[in-house]
Amino acid sequence: VVQIGTPDDASAALRLGADVLVLQGTEAGGHLLGELPVAELLYAVRTRHPDAVIAVAGGVATGTDLARARSAGADGAMAGTVFVPTAESMAHPLFKRRIVEARADDTVVTGRYDIGWPARPHRVLRNALTEESRRLPATFIATTRVGAARIPVPRYSATVPGVRTEGRIDEMAMYCGTSCDRVTAQDTAAAVVGKLRHEYEHELSYEREGGTWTAPSNR
Ligand SMILES: Cc1cc2nc3c(=O)[nH]c(=O)nc-3n(C[C@H](O)[C@H](O)[C@H](O)COP(=O)(O)O)c2cc1C
């Protein structure tokens, strides 16, 4: 299973033996592999590779999103942002709360978080560092624990804040996709999947009954 962000990388992954392609659009949270929105990437890759097994990543947080991706030609989807606030997630409590509160406009694609992940833009929640035009010194702003060791985190590190991180959490990279518009509660992972499945099945029965699909409401 290989995640890619361009049509050429999709072809290369298939040539090298990938069984499943995950097409990551620019709506996705975290580091971005390409520059196309997910619908455009899906159209381009599906046209080139009609028989490939394709999942999309970016913009999927509900069963309605999944149904829309399926009707656009995807076989499935991969989601990240919707699982960040779940009970099982090791994300920092502030990171979880921010995702639930955020709207798509609160996210930004930035090259700022390049320490540990050079030359790769990330979609993150806006903060003082993403909005600041100057680059500040990369002094340590937090620490995070790995086993018994305390590891310092420099400003502009690509590390996300976890439950073991202490310091200026606000300035850290909080990876978040535009689907945060539709992430409105903290729940267990099982409840998130159950709800998504229920919504998806509802969409399918609606389609079977001859309804037309309408865009998901944001809340
Ligand atoms: C908190 C978080 C961490 C992520 N970490 C990785 C990672 O380590 N490697 C990777 O290939 N993708 C990573 N991603 C990106 C996902 O693989 C996927 O493309 C993305 O979550 C899909 O978009 P969505 O977040 O809007 O659902 C991460 C995403 C998030 C939100």
Side-chain angles (χ1 to χ4, degrees), residues 104-200:
D105 281 354
D106 298 320
T107 72
V108 64
V109 176
T110 177
R112 275 283 152 94
Y113 290 104
D114 57 0
I115 296 182
W117 216 322
R120 183 67 84 189
H122 293 80
R123 186 178 286 280
V124 298
L125 289 174
R126 288 178 198 277
N127 64 21
L129 292 189
T130 65
E131 302 308 289
E132 167 68 62
S133 54
R134 286 167 312 147
R135 183 148 176 130
L136 304 173
T139 46
F140 296 130
I141 59 166
T143 61
T144 197
R145 247 199 341 261
V146 179
R150 275 224 153 267
I151 312 289
V153 178
R155 186 179 281 119
Y156 306 120
S157 165
T159 306
V160 296
V163 281
R164 299 195 182 100
T165 312
E166 288 172 12
R168 289 153 80 160
I169 307 297
D170 253 343
E171 289 189 19
M172 290 183 67
M174 297 193 197
Y175 297 178
C176 181
T178 58
S179 65
C180 63
D181 265 346
R182 297 178 295 286
V183 180
T184 56
Q186 297 197 16
D187 222 327
T188 61
V192 169
V193 174
K195 183 164 171 279
L196 198 145
R197 183 184 179 138
H198 179 77
E199 291 161 350
Y200 178 68

Coordinates of all heavy atoms in Angstrom, one line a residue, residues 104-200:
A104 N -11.9 24.6 8.3 CA -10.9 24.4 7.2 C -10.0 25.7 7.1 O -8.8 25.5 6.9 CB -11.5 24.1 5.9
D105 N -10.6 26.8 7.3 CA -9.8 28.1 7.1 C -8.7 28.3 8.2 O -7.9 29.1 8.1 CB -10.7 29.3 7.2 CG -11.4 29.5 5.9 OD1 -11.1 28.9 4.9 OD2 -12.3 30.4 5.9
D106 N -8.9 27.5 9.3 CA -7.9 27.6 10.4 C -6.6 26.7 10.0 O -5.7 26.7 10.8 CB -8.5 27.1 11.7 CG -9.6 27.9 12.1 OD1 -9.5 29.2 12.0 OD2 -10.6 27.4 12.6
T107 N -6.7 26.0 8.9 CA -5.5 25.2 8.5 C -4.7 26.0 7.4 O -5.3 26.8 6.7 CB -5.9 23.8 7.9 OG1 -6.5 24.0 6.6 CG2 -6.8 23.1 8.9
V108 N -3.4 25.7 7.3 CA -2.6 26.3 6.3 C -1.5 25.4 5.8 O -1.1 24.5 6.6 CB -2.0 27.6 6.9 CG1 -1.0 27.3 8.0 CG2 -1.3 28.5 5.8
V109 N -1.1 25.5 4.5 CA 0.0 24.7 4.0 C 1.2 25.5 4.2 O 1.3 26.7 3.7 CB -0.2 24.3 2.6 CG1 1.0 23.6 2.0 CG2 -1.5 23.4 2.4
T110 N 2.2 25.0 4.9 CA 3.4 25.8 5.2 C 4.7 24.9 5.1 O 4.6 23.7 5.3 CB 3.3 26.4 6.6 OG1 4.6 27.0 6.9 CG2 3.1 25.3 7.7
G111 N 5.8 25.6 4.7 CA 7.1 24.9 4.7 C 7.9 25.2 6.0 O 9.0 24.8 6.1
R112 N 7.2 25.8 6.9 CA 7.9 26.2 8.1 C 8.5 25.1 9.0 O 9.5 25.1 9.6 CB 7.0 27.1 9.0 CG 6.9 28.5 8.7 CD 8.2 29.2 9.2 NE 8.6 30.4 8.4 CZ 8.2 31.6 8.7 NH1 7.5 31.9 9.7 NH2 8.7 32.6 8.0
Y113 N 7.7 24.0 9.0 CA 8.1 22.9 9.9 C 9.0 21.9 9.2 O 8.6 20.8 8.9 CB 6.8 22.2 10.5 CG 6.1 23.1 11.4 CD1 4.9 23.7 11.1 CD2 6.6 23.3 12.7 CE1 4.3 24.6 12.0 CE2 6.0 24.2 13.6 CZ 4.8 24.8 13.2 OH 4.2 25.7 14.1
D114 N 10.2 22.4 8.9 CA 11.1 21.6 8.1 C 12.2 20.9 8.9 O 13.1 20.2 8.3 CB 11.7 22.5 7.0 CG 12.4 23.7 7.6 OD1 12.5 23.9 8.8 OD2 12.9 24.5 6.8
I115 N 12.3 21.1 10.2 CA 13.3 20.4 11.0 C 12.9 19.0 11.2 O 11.8 18.7 11.8 CB 13.6 21.2 12.3 CG1 14.2 22.5 12.0 CG2 14.6 20.4 13.2 CD1 14.5 23.4 13.2
G116 N 13.7 18.0 10.7 CA 13.3 16.6 10.8 C 12.5 16.2 9.5 O 12.3 15.0 9.3
W117 N 12.1 17.1 8.7 CA 11.3 16.8 7.5 C 11.6 17.9 6.5 O 10.7 18.7 6.2 CB 9.8 16.6 7.8 CG 9.3 15.5 6.9 CD1 9.6 15.2 5.6 CD2 8.3 14.5 7.3 NE1 8.9 14.1 5.2 CE2 8.1 13.7 6.2 CE3 7.6 14.3 8.5 CZ2 7.2 12.6 6.3 CZ3 6.7 13.3 8.6 CH2 6.5 12.5 7.5
P118 N 12.8 18.0 5.9 CA 13.2 19.1 5.0 C 12.4 19.0 3.7 O 12.1 18.0 3.2 CB 14.7 18.9 4.8 CG 15.0 17.6 5.3 CD 13.9 17.0 6.1
A119 N 12.2 20.2 3.1 CA 11.7 20.4 1.8 C 10.3 19.7 1.6 O 10.0 19.2 0.5 CB 12.7 19.8 0.7
R120 N 9.5 19.7 2.6 CA 8.2 19.0 2.5 C 7.2 19.9 3.2 O 7.2 20.2 4.4 CB 8.3 17.7 3.2 CG 7.0 16.8 3.1 CD 6.7 16.4 1.8 NE 7.4 15.2 1.4 CZ 7.4 14.7 0.1 NH1 6.8 15.3 -0.8 NH2 8.0 13.6 -0.1
P121 N 6.2 20.5 2.4 CA 5.2 21.3 3.1 C 4.2 20.4 3.9 O 4.1 19.2 3.7 CB 4.4 21.9 1.9 CG 4.7 21.0 0.7 CD 6.0 20.3 1.0
H122 N 3.7 21.0 4.9 CA 2.7 20.4 5.8 C 1.4 21.2 5.9 O 1.5 22.4 5.9 CB 3.2 20.3 7.3 CG 4.4 19.4 7.4 ND1 5.7 19.8 7.1 CD2 4.5 18.1 7.9 CE1 6.6 18.8 7.4 NE2 5.9 17.8 7.9
R123 N 0.3 20.5 6.0 CA -0.9 21.2 6.3 C -1.1 21.1 7.8 O -1.2 20.0 8.4 CB -2.2 20.7 5.6 CG -3.4 21.6 5.9 CD -4.7 21.1 5.1 NE -4.6 21.4 3.7 CZ -4.9 22.6 3.2 NH1 -5.3 23.6 4.0 NH2 -4.9 22.8 1.9
V124 N -1.1 22.3 8.5 CA -1.2 22.3 9.9 C -2.2 23.4 10.4 O -2.7 24.1 9.5 CB 0.2 22.7 10.6 CG1 1.3 21.7 10.2 CG2 0.6 24.1 10.1
L125 N -2.5 23.4 11.6 CA -3.3 24.5 12.2 C -2.5 25.8 12.2 O -1.3 25.7 12.6 CB -3.8 24.1 13.6 CG -4.9 23.0 13.6 CD1 -5.2 22.6 15.1 CD2 -6.2 23.4 12.9
R126 N -3.1 26.9 11.8 CA -2.4 28.2 11.9 C -2.0 28.5 13.3 O -2.8 28.1 14.3 CB -3.3 29.3 11.5 CG -3.6 29.4 10.0 CD -4.6 30.5 9.8 NE -5.3 30.3 8.5 CZ -4.7 30.7 7.3 NH1 -3.5 31.3 7.3 NH2 -5.3 30.5 6.2
N127 N -0.9 29.1 13.5 CA -0.5 29.5 14.8 C 0.5 30.7 14.7 O 0.7 31.2 13.5 CB 0.2 28.4 15.6 CG 1.5 27.9 15.0 OD1 2.1 28.6 14.2 ND2 1.9 26.7 15.3
A128 N 1.0 31.2 15.8 CA 1.9 32.4 15.7 C 3.1 32.2 14.7 O 3.5 33.1 14.0 CB 2.4 32.7 17.1
L129 N 3.6 31.0 14.7 CA 4.8 30.8 13.8 C 4.4 30.7 12.3 O 5.1 31.2 11.5 CB 5.5 29.4 14.2 CG 6.2 29.3 15.5 CD1 7.0 28.0 15.6 CD2 7.1 30.5 15.7
T130 N 3.2 30.1 12.0 CA 2.9 30.1 10.6 C 2.5 31.5 10.1 O 2.6 31.7 8.9 CB 1.7 29.1 10.3 OG1 0.5 29.6 11.0 CG2 2.0 27.7 10.8
E131 N 2.0 32.3 11.0 CA 1.5 33.7 10.6 C 2.7 34.7 10.6 O 2.5 35.8 10.1 CB 0.4 34.1 11.4 CG -0.8 33.2 11.4 CD -1.3 32.8 10.0 OE1 -1.9 33.7 9.3 OE2 -1.0 31.7 9.5
E132 N 3.8 34.4 11.2 CA 4.9 35.3 11.4 C 5.7 35.3 10.1 O 6.1 34.3 9.6 CB 5.7 34.8 12.6 CG 7.1 35.4 12.8 CD 7.0 36.9 13.2 OE1 6.5 37.3 14.2 OE2 7.5 37.7 12.4
S133 N 6.0 36.5 9.6 CA 6.8 36.6 8.3 C 8.3 36.3 8.5 O 8.9 35.7 7.6 CB 6.6 37.9 7.6 OG 6.9 38.9 8.5
R134 N 8.8 36.6 9.7 CA 10.2 36.3 9.9 C 10.4 34.9 10.4 O 9.5 34.4 11.0 CB 10.8 37.2 11.0 CG 11.0 38.7 10.6 CD 11.2 39.5 11.9 NE 10.2 39.2 12.9 CZ 10.4 39.2 14.2 NH1 11.6 39.4 14.7 NH2 9.4 38.9 15.1
R135 N 11.6 34.4 10.1 CA 11.9 33.1 10.7 C 12.7 33.3 12.0 O 13.7 34.0 12.1 CB 12.8 32.3 9.8 CG 13.1 30.9 10.3 CD 13.2 29.9 9.3 NE 13.6 28.6 9.8 CZ 13.0 27.4 9.6 NH1 12.0 27.4 8.8 NH2 13.4 26.3 10.1
L136 N 12.1 32.8 13.1 CA 12.7 33.0 14.4 C 13.8 32.0 14.7 O 13.9 31.0 13.9 CB 11.7 32.9 15.5 CG 10.5 33.9 15.3 CD1 9.4 33.6 16.3 CD2 10.9 35.3 15.4
P137 N 14.7 32.2 15.6 CA 15.7 31.2 15.9 C 15.1 29.8 16.3 O 14.1 29.8 17.0 CB 16.5 31.8 17.1 CG 16.1 33.2 17.2 CD 14.8 33.3 16.6
A138 N 15.8 28.7 15.9 CA 15.2 27.4 16.2 C 15.7 26.9 17.5 O 16.3 25.9 17.7 CB 15.7 26.4 15.1
T139 N 15.4 27.7 18.6 CA 15.7 27.3 19.9 C 14.7 26.3 20.4 O 13.6 26.1 19.8 CB 15.7 28.5 20.9 OG1 14.5 29.3 20.6 CG2 16.9 29.4 20.6
F140 N 15.1 25.6 21.5 CA 14.2 24.5 22.0 C 12.9 25.2 22.6 O 13.0 26.1 23.4 CB 14.9 23.6 23.0 CG 16.0 22.9 22.4 CD1 17.3 22.9 23.0 CD2 15.9 22.1 21.2 CE1 18.3 22.2 22.4 CE2 16.9 21.4 20.7 CZ 18.2 21.4 21.3
I141 N 11.8 24.7 22.2 CA 10.5 25.2 22.8 C 9.7 24.2 23.6 O 8.7 24.6 24.2 CB 9.6 25.8 21.6 CG1 9.3 24.7 20.6 CG2 10.3 27.0 21.0 CD1 8.1 25.1 19.7
A142 N 10.1 22.9 23.5 CA 9.4 21.9 24.2 C 10.3 20.7 24.5 O 11.4 20.7 23.9 CB 8.2 21.5 23.4
T143 N 9.8 19.8 25.2 CA 10.5 18.5 25.3 C 9.4 17.4 25.2 O 8.2 17.6 25.4 CB 11.2 18.2 26.7 OG1 10.1 18.3 27.7 CG2 12.2 19.3 27.0
T144 N 9.9 16.2 24.7 CA 9.0 15.1 24.6 C 9.7 13.9 25.1 O 10.9 13.8 25.0 CB 8.4 15.0 23.1 OG1 7.3 14.2 23.1 CG2 9.5 14.4 22.2
R145 N 8.9 13.0 25.7 CA 9.6 11.8 26.3 C 9.5 10.6 25.4 O 8.5 10.3 24.8 CB 8.9 11.4 27.6 CG 9.8 11.7 28.8 CD 9.5 11.0 30.1 NE 8.2 10.5 30.3 CZ 7.2 11.1 31.0 NH1 7.5 12.3 31.5 NH2 6.1 10.6 31.1
V146 N 10.7 10.0 25.1 CA 10.7 8.7 24.4 C 11.3 7.7 25.3 O 12.5 7.8 25.6 CB 11.5 8.9 23.1 CG1 11.6 7.6 22.3 CG2 11.0 10.0 22.2
G147 N 10.5 6.8 25.8 CA 11.0 5.9 26.8 C 11.3 6.7 28.1 O 10.5 7.5 28.5
A148 N 12.5 6.5 28.6 CA 12.9 7.3 29.8 C 13.5 8.6 29.4 O 13.7 9.4 30.3 CB 13.8 6.4 30.7
A149 N 13.9 8.8 28.2 CA 14.7 9.9 27.7 C 13.7 11.1 27.5 O 12.6 11.0 26.9 CB 15.5 9.6 26.5
R150 N 14.2 12.3 27.8 CA 13.5 13.6 27.5 C 14.2 14.2 26.3 O 15.4 14.5 26.3 CB 13.6 14.6 28.6 CG 12.6 14.4 29.6 CD 11.9 15.7 30.1 NE 10.6 15.4 30.6 CZ 9.5 15.5 29.8 NH1 9.6 15.9 28.6 NH2 8.3 15.1 30.3
I151 N 13.5 14.3 25.2 CA 14.1 14.8 23.9 C 13.7 16.3 23.7 O 12.5 16.6 23.7 CB 13.6 14.0 22.7 CG1 13.7 12.5 23.0 CG2 14.3 14.4 21.4 CD1 15.1 11.9 23.0
P152 N 14.7 17.2 23.5 CA 14.3 18.6 23.3 C 13.7 18.7 21.9 O 14.1 18.0 20.9 CB 15.6 19.4 23.4 CG 16.6 18.4 23.3 CD 16.1 17.0 23.5
V153 N 12.7 19.6 21.7 CA 12.0 19.9 20.5 C 12.3 21.3 20.0 O 11.9 22.3 20.7 CB 10.5 19.7 20.6 CG1 9.8 20.0 19.2 CG2 10.1 18.3 21.1
P154 N 13.0 21.5 18.9 CA 13.3 22.9 18.5 C 12.1 23.5 17.8 O 11.2 22.8 17.3 CB 14.4 22.7 17.4 CG 14.3 21.3 16.9 CD 13.6 20.5 18.0
R155 N 12.0 24.8 17.9 CA 11.0 25.6 17.1 C 11.2 25.1 15.6 O 12.3 24.9 15.2 CB 11.3 27.1 17.2 CG 10.2 27.9 16.6 CD 10.6 29.4 16.8 NE 10.2 29.9 18.2 CZ 11.0 30.3 19.0 NH1 12.3 30.5 18.8 NH2 10.6 30.7 20.2
Y156 N 10.1 24.9 14.9 CA 10.1 24.5 13.5 C 10.3 23.0 13.3 O 10.5 22.5 12.2 CB 11.0 25.3 12.6 CG 10.8 26.8 12.7 CD1 11.8 27.6 13.1 CD2 9.6 27.3 12.4 CE1 11.6 29.0 13.2 CE2 9.3 28.7 12.5 CZ 10.4 29.5 12.9 OH 10.1 30.9 13.0
S157 N 10.3 22.2 14.4 CA 10.4 20.8 14.3 C 9.1 20.2 13.7 O 8.0 20.8 14.0 CB 10.6 20.1 15.7 OG 10.3 18.7 15.6
A158 N 9.2 19.2 12.8 CA 8.0 18.6 12.2 C 7.2 17.7 13.2 O 6.2 17.2 12.9 CB 8.4 17.8 11.0
T159 N 7.8 17.5 14.4 CA 7.2 16.6 15.4 C 5.8 17.2 15.9 O 5.7 18.4 16.1 CB 8.1 16.6 16.7 OG1 9.4 16.2 16.3 CG2 7.6 15.7 17.8
V160 N 4.8 16.3 16.0 CA 3.5 16.8 16.5 C 3.5 16.6 18.0 O 4.2 15.8 18.6 CB 2.3 16.0 15.9 CG1 2.3 16.3 14.4 CG2 2.4 14.5 16.1
P161 N 2.7 17.5 18.7 CA 2.7 17.3 20.2 C 1.8 16.1 20.6 O 0.7 16.0 20.2 CB 2.0 18.7 20.6 CG 1.3 19.2 19.4 CD 1.9 18.6 18.2
G162 N 2.5 15.3 21.5 CA 1.8 14.2 22.0 C 1.5 14.3 23.5 O 1.9 15.3 24.1
V163 N 0.9 13.3 24.1 CA 0.6 13.3 25.5 C 1.9 13.5 26.4 O 1.8 14.0 27.5 CB -0.1 12.1 26.0 CG1 -1.6 12.1 25.7 CG2 0.5 10.8 25.5
R164 N 3.0 13.1 25.9 CA 4.3 13.2 26.6 C 5.0 14.5 26.3 O 6.2 14.6 26.7 CB 5.2 12.0 26.4 CG 4.5 10.7 26.8 CD 5.5 9.6 26.9 NE 4.8 8.3 27.2 CZ 4.5 7.4 26.3 NH1 4.8 7.6 25.0 NH2 3.9 6.3 26.7
T165 N 4.4 15.4 25.6 CA 5.1 16.6 25.2 C 4.8 17.7 26.2 O 3.6 17.9 26.6 CB 4.7 17.1 23.8 OG1 4.8 16.0 22.9 CG2 5.6 18.2 23.3
E166 N 5.8 18.5 26.6 CA 5.6 19.6 27.5 C 6.3 20.8 27.0 O 7.4 20.7 26.4 CB 6.2 19.3 28.9 CG 5.4 18.3 29.7 CD 6.1 17.9 31.0 OE1 7.1 18.6 31.4 OE2 5.7 16.9 31.6
G167 N 5.7 22.0 27.1 CA 6.3 23.2 26.6 C 5.3 24.1 25.8 O 4.1 24.1 26.2
R168 N 5.8 24.7 24.8 CA 5.0 25.6 24.0 C 4.3 24.9 22.9 O 4.6 25.0 21.7 CB 5.9 26.7 23.5 CG 6.3 27.7 24.6 CD 7.6 28.4 24.4 NE 7.4 29.5 23.5 CZ 8.3 30.5 23.4 NH1 9.4 30.4 24.2 NH2 8.1 31.5 22.6
I169 N 3.3 24.1 23.4 CA 2.5 23.2 22.5 C 1.9 24.1 21.3 O 1.8 23.6 20.2 CB 1.4 22.5 23.3 CG1 1.9 21.8 24.5 CG2 0.5 21.6 22.4 CD1 2.9 20.7 24.3
D170 N 1.4 25.3 21.7 CA 0.8 26.2 20.7 C 1.6 26.5 19.5 O 1.1 26.8 18.4 CB 0.6 27.6 21.4 CG -0.8 27.8 21.8 OD1 -1.6 27.1 21.2 OD2 -1.1 28.7 22.6
E171 N 3.0 26.4 19.6 CA 3.9 26.8 18.5 C 4.2 25.5 17.7 O 4.9 25.6 16.7 CB 5.2 27.4 19.0 CG 5.0 28.8 19.6 CD 6.3 29.5 19.8 OE1 7.3 29.1 19.3 OE2 6.3 30.4 20.6
M172 N 3.8 24.3 18.2 CA 4.2 23.1 17.5 C 3.3 22.8 16.3 O 2.3 23.4 16.1 CB 4.3 21.9 18.5 CG 5.4 22.1 19.5 SD 5.5 20.7 20.6 CE 6.0 19.4 19.5
A173 N 3.8 21.9 15.4 CA 3.1 21.5 14.2 C 1.9 20.6 14.6 O 2.1 19.5 15.1 CB 4.0 20.7 13.3
M174 N 0.7 21.2 14.4 CA -0.5 20.4 14.7 C -1.1 20.0 13.3 O -1.8 20.8 12.7 CB -1.5 21.2 15.5 CG -1.0 21.5 16.9 SD -2.3 22.1 18.0 CE -1.4 22.9 19.3
Y175 N -0.7 18.8 12.8 CA -1.2 18.4 11.5 C -2.7 18.3 11.5 O -3.3 17.7 12.4 CB -0.6 17.0 11.2 CG 0.9 16.9 11.1 CD1 1.4 15.6 10.9 CD2 1.7 17.9 11.3 CE1 2.8 15.4 10.8 CE2 3.1 17.8 11.2 CZ 3.6 16.5 10.9 OH 5.0 16.3 10.8
C176 N -3.3 19.0 10.5 CA -4.8 19.0 10.5 C -5.2 19.2 9.0 O -4.8 20.1 8.4 CB -5.3 20.1 11.4 SG -7.1 20.2 11.4
G177 N -6.1 18.3 8.5 CA -6.7 18.4 7.2 C -7.9 19.3 7.2 O -8.5 19.6 8.2
T178 N -8.3 19.7 6.0 CA -9.5 20.5 5.8 C -10.8 19.8 6.3 O -11.8 20.5 6.6 CB -9.7 21.0 4.4 OG1 -9.8 19.8 3.5 CG2 -8.6 21.8 3.9
S179 N -10.7 18.5 6.4 CA -11.9 17.7 6.9 C -12.2 18.0 8.3 O -13.3 17.6 8.9 CB -11.7 16.2 6.7 OG -10.6 15.8 7.6
C180 N -11.4 18.8 9.0 CA -11.7 19.2 10.4 C -13.0 19.9 10.5 O -13.6 20.0 11.6 CB -10.6 20.1 11.0 SG -10.3 21.7 10.2
D181 N -13.5 20.5 9.4 CA -14.8 21.1 9.4 C -15.9 20.2 9.9 O -16.9 20.6 10.5 CB -15.2 21.4 7.9 CG -14.8 22.9 7.5 OD1 -14.6 23.7 8.4 OD2 -14.9 23.2 6.3
R182 N -15.7 18.9 9.6 CA -16.7 17.9 10.0 C -16.3 17.0 11.1 O -16.9 16.0 11.4 CB -17.0 17.1 8.7 CG -17.6 18.0 7.6 CD -17.9 17.3 6.3 NE -16.8 16.7 5.6 CZ -15.9 17.5 5.0 NH1 -16.0 18.8 4.9 NH2 -14.9 16.9 4.4
V183 N -15.2 17.4 11.9 CA -14.8 16.7 13.1 C -15.3 17.6 14.2 O -14.7 18.6 14.5 CB -13.3 16.5 13.1 CG1 -12.9 15.7 14.4 CG2 -12.8 15.7 11.9
T184 N -16.3 17.1 14.9 CA -17.0 18.0 15.9 C -17.1 17.4 17.3 O -17.7 18.1 18.1 CB -18.4 18.3 15.4 OG1 -19.1 17.1 15.2 CG2 -18.4 19.1 14.1
A185 N -16.5 16.3 17.5 CA -16.6 15.7 18.8 C -15.4 14.8 19.1 O -14.8 14.3 18.2 CB -17.9 14.9 19.0
Q186 N -15.1 14.6 20.4 CA -14.1 13.6 20.8 C -14.8 12.3 21.2 O -15.8 12.3 21.9 CB -13.3 14.1 22.0 CG -12.6 15.4 21.7 CD -11.5 15.7 22.7 OE1 -11.1 14.9 23.5 NE2 -11.0 16.9 22.7
D187 N -14.4 11.2 20.6 CA -15.1 10.0 20.8 C -14.1 8.8 20.7 O -12.9 9.1 20.5 CB -16.1 9.8 19.6 CG -17.4 9.3 20.2 OD1 -17.4 8.5 21.2 OD2 -18.5 9.6 19.7
T188 N -14.5 7.6 20.9 CA -13.6 6.5 20.7 C -13.4 6.2 19.2 O -14.3 6.6 18.3 CB -14.1 5.2 21.3 OG1 -15.4 4.9 20.6 CG2 -14.4 5.3 22.8
A189 N -12.3 5.6 18.8 CA -12.1 5.3 17.4 C -13.2 4.4 16.8 O -13.7 4.6 15.7 CB -10.7 4.6 17.2
A190 N -13.7 3.4 17.7 CA -14.8 2.5 17.2 C -16.0 3.3 16.9 O -16.8 3.1 16.0 CB -15.0 1.5 18.3
A191 N -16.3 4.3 17.8 CA -17.5 5.2 17.6 C -17.4 6.0 16.3 O -18.4 6.1 15.5 CB -17.8 6.1 18.7
V192 N -16.2 6.5 16.0 CA -15.9 7.2 14.8 C -16.2 6.3 13.5 O -16.9 6.7 12.6 CB -14.5 7.8 14.7 CG1 -14.2 8.4 13.3 CG2 -14.3 8.9 15.8
V193 N -15.6 5.1 13.6 CA -15.8 4.2 12.4 C -17.3 3.8 12.3 O -17.8 3.7 11.2 CB -14.9 3.0 12.6 CG1 -15.1 2.0 11.5 CG2 -13.4 3.4 12.5
G194 N -17.9 3.5 13.4 CA -19.3 3.1 13.4 C -20.2 4.2 12.8 O -21.1 3.9 12.0
K195 N -20.0 5.4 13.2 CA -20.8 6.6 12.7 C -20.5 6.7 11.2 O -21.5 6.9 10.4 CB -20.3 7.8 13.4 CG -21.1 9.1 13.1 CD -20.9 10.1 14.2 CE -21.4 11.5 13.8 NZ -20.6 12.2 12.9
L196 N -19.2 6.6 10.8 CA -18.9 6.8 9.4 C -19.6 5.7 8.6 O -20.2 5.9 7.5 CB -17.4 6.7 9.2 CG -16.8 7.2 8.0 CD1 -15.4 7.8 8.3 CD2 -16.6 6.1 7.0
R197 N -19.6 4.5 9.1 CA -20.2 3.3 8.4 C -21.7 3.6 8.3 O -22.3 3.3 7.2 CB -19.9 2.1 9.1 CG -20.5 0.9 8.5 CD -20.3 -0.4 9.3 NE -20.8 -1.5 8.5 CZ -20.3 -2.7 8.4 NH1 -19.2 -2.9 9.0 NH2 -20.9 -3.6 7.8
H198 N -22.3 4.0 9.3 CA -23.8 4.3 9.3 C -24.1 5.3 8.3 O -25.0 5.2 7.5 CB -24.2 4.7 10.8 CG -25.6 5.0 10.9 ND1 -26.6 4.0 11.0 CD2 -26.3 6.2 10.9 CE1 -27.8 4.6 11.0 NE2 -27.6 5.9 11.0
E199 N -23.3 6.4 8.3 CA -23.6 7.5 7.3 C -23.4 7.0 5.9 O -24.2 7.3 5.0 CB -22.6 8.7 7.6 CG -22.8 9.4 8.8 CD -21.6 10.3 9.2 OE1 -20.5 10.1 8.7 OE2 -21.7 11.0 10.2
Y200 N -22.4 6.2 5.7 CA -22.1 5.7 4.4 C -23.2 4.8 3.9 O -23.7 4.9 2.7 CB -20.8 4.9 4.4 CG -20.4 4.3 3.1 CD1 -20.0 5.1 2.0 CD2 -20.4 2.9 2.9 CE1 -19.7 4.5 0.8 CE2 -20.1 2.3 1.6 CZ -19.7 3.2 0.6 OH -19.4 2.6 -0.6

